[in-house]
Amino acid sequence: MAEHSATKMARKTAPRQPEEIPAETTPSITEDLECDLDALGVDDIRGVCERLREESRRRTVALASAVHELRTPLAVMEGYMELLFSGKTGSLNEKQKHILEDMKANEKRLKSFIADFLTFAAIETKNLNMNFEVGDLNSCLSEVCSLWMPRFQQKGIALYFSPEQDLQHFPFDHLKLQHVVSNLIHNAWKFTPPRGTVWVAAEKYYWERRLREEPTNMEKRRLETRKLPRAARVIVSDTGPGIEPEFHQEIFNDFRKLSRGNASDSMGLGLSIARRLVNAHGGKIWVESKPGSGSKFLFLIPIPKA
């Protein structure tokens, strides 16, 4: 009888199991991509955009991690190639040297791919750290040209740098601007034939964002009374084949490559990265070109008021 009472009391005091509430299922990426936007409300469309944005960021981070891991085996391969080149493992015949040189060239190409993608991933995921310091733009550009000079001489292309002597020192990210100019010089080197010429120049430039193409008389008077310049302009021009007008905007898009013979030497990120790094400085970049007349890439970097 006591046991029966205890059992009855236990049943009365036993905690009541909560009712299962069906969890809301988040739509998959496939469902988001295939959904009919016309049938969704504003809040639903906003949710789709946020989920796709987050998925894009997540995949970029995952790819960047995978690409970063390639650096370790690549460094090992580079070490073995240097060991073979040194002759410490035995002398090499001409055919073996040719094979190693080809391997070395492809290893350098792969390292360039990795560096470009990691820079792109850092920009895409908002992890790009800008380090603005007052510096000399002429010295920055001269250093890049000096690094590229041996490759230009090897290909038989003339490379000239024209500095702006009166350009004031101003804050910019030294390494990021060198990355921009290096990408532009690389393009010029790649598409300019032997015995061609590439020019790199810096100059003072008045950049008034608010003015129209043709300023009024009042705007002209205002320009004359202002202290110049308000920006620095960098120009990289070449005597290559030129670019059709319909591609002038498109070439700055991510993973965009022109259909040319040596386009496989890049991922199509060089100009995209250049555009993003110039934008991070508050500047703008564009190209002036037409087929058969070479190309001229220009970008502006604003100079803050003193």
Side-chain angles (χ1 to χ4, degrees):
M1 187 70 178
E3 289 183 7
H4 178 72
S5 299
T7 303
K8 190 175 181 181
M9 182 63 69
R11 287 176 182 171
K12 287 183 179 180
T13 58
R16 185 179 179 182
Q17 296 296 323
E19 295 181 5
E20 290 189 4
I21 300 175
E24 293 185 8
T25 57
T26 303
S28 66
I29 295 301
T30 302
E31 290 172 334
D32 281 337
L33 291 173
E34 296 177 353
C35 69
D36 182 8
L37 296 180
D38 293 333
L40 300 179
V42 175
D43 291 338
D44 293 328
I45 292 176
R46 185 179 292 112
V48 170
C49 291
E50 288 298 328
R51 287 193 295 273
L52 291 177
R53 182 180 298 159
E54 177 58 26
E55 179 64 16
S56 175
R57 189 200 67 80
R58 188 188 67 78
R59 293 188 182 190
T60 300
V61 170
L63 283 172
S65 298
V67 170
H68 190 273
E69 290 301 318
L70 291 175
R71 286 182 160 183
T72 300
L74 197 59
V76 174
M77 292 169 59
E78 183 180 16
Y80 280 129
M81 283 189 286
E82 292 296 336
L83 184 62
L84 291 172
F85 267 121
S86 68
K88 293 180 180 179
T89 59
S91 59
L92 302 173
N93 57 41
E94 289 302 316
K95 186 175 182 179
Q96 290 170 332
K97 288 181 181 178
H98 179 73
I99 292 172
L100 274 179
E101 288 170 358
D102 190 43
M103 290 174 62
K104 187 69 176 176
N106 280 280
E107 178 259 346
K108 188 174 183 180
R109 180 175 163 222
L110 183 56
K111 285 175 69 175
S112 177
F113 287 176
I114 291 173
D116 277 351
F117 188 82
L118 291 178
T119 301
F120 168 77
I123 297 172
E124 276 288 284
T125 55
K126 313 297 184 191
N127 288 325
L128 184 69
N129 295 319
M130 300 295 293
N131 182 26
F132 289 90
E133 293 182 354
V134 175
D136 181 2
L137 183 62
N138 287 323
S139 298
C140 174
L141 300 179
S142 177
E143 185 177 341
V144 178
C145 291
S146 298
L147 293 173
W148 274 94
M149 187 62 74
R151 295 184 69 178
F152 274 78
Q153 292 174 341
Q154 186 178 17
K155 191 176 177 181
I157 303 173
L159 175 62
Y160 298 105
F161 171 54
S162 177
E164 172 58 80
Q165 300 298 339
D166 296 327
L167 185 62
Q168 66 190 80
H169 291 194
F170 65 96
F172 61 90
D173 190 311
H174 189 91
L175 293 178
K176 301 298 191 305
L177 272 196
Q178 284 197 333
H179 196 153
V180 172
V181 177
S182 184
N183 284 0
L184 298 181
I185 291 178
H186 184 205
N187 263 12
W189 172 85
K190 185 163 56 175
F191 294 114
T192 301
R195 298 200 294 184
T197 306
V198 172
W199 297 270
V200 179
E203 60 185 23
K204 296 181 293 185
Y205 190 82
Y206 187 81
W207 182 24
E208 174 56 79
R209 297 170 184 260
R210 295 171 294 178
L211 296 185
R212 297 180 290 277
E213 290 292 331
E214 295 295 332
T216 63
N217 290 334
M218 182 179 296
E219 289 169 339
K220 287 180 180 178
R221 285 195 297 271
R222 180 157 56 87
L223 287 176
E224 292 170 358
T225 60
R226 283 180 176 248
K227 185 179 179 181
L228 302 181
R230 293 287 358 118
R233 182 164 73 168
V234 178
I235 306 169
V236 178
S237 54
D238 61 59
T239 56
I243 302 170
E244 294 80 358
E246 59 266 29
F247 296 124
H248 285 189
Q249 296 294 327
E250 191 176 338
I251 58 175
F252 292 100
N253 293 340
D254 301 335
F255 302 102
R256 182 64 177 91
K257 296 189 290 186
L258 295 179
S259 55
R260 291 175 178 168
N262 50 359
S264 61
D265 288 343
S266 72
M267 295 179 67
L269 285 174
L271 291 178
S272 169
I273 290 172
R275 173 180 61 83
R276 290 164 182 262
L277 293 179
V278 168
N279 289 346
H281 280 81
K284 69 174 184 177
I285 186 171
W286 71 98
V287 62
E288 297 174 0
S289 178
K290 59 182 180 180
S293 300
S295 300
K296 181 187 291 186
F297 285 86
L298 310 94
F299 67 87
L300 295 175
I301 299 296
I303 299 177
K305 293 181 179 180

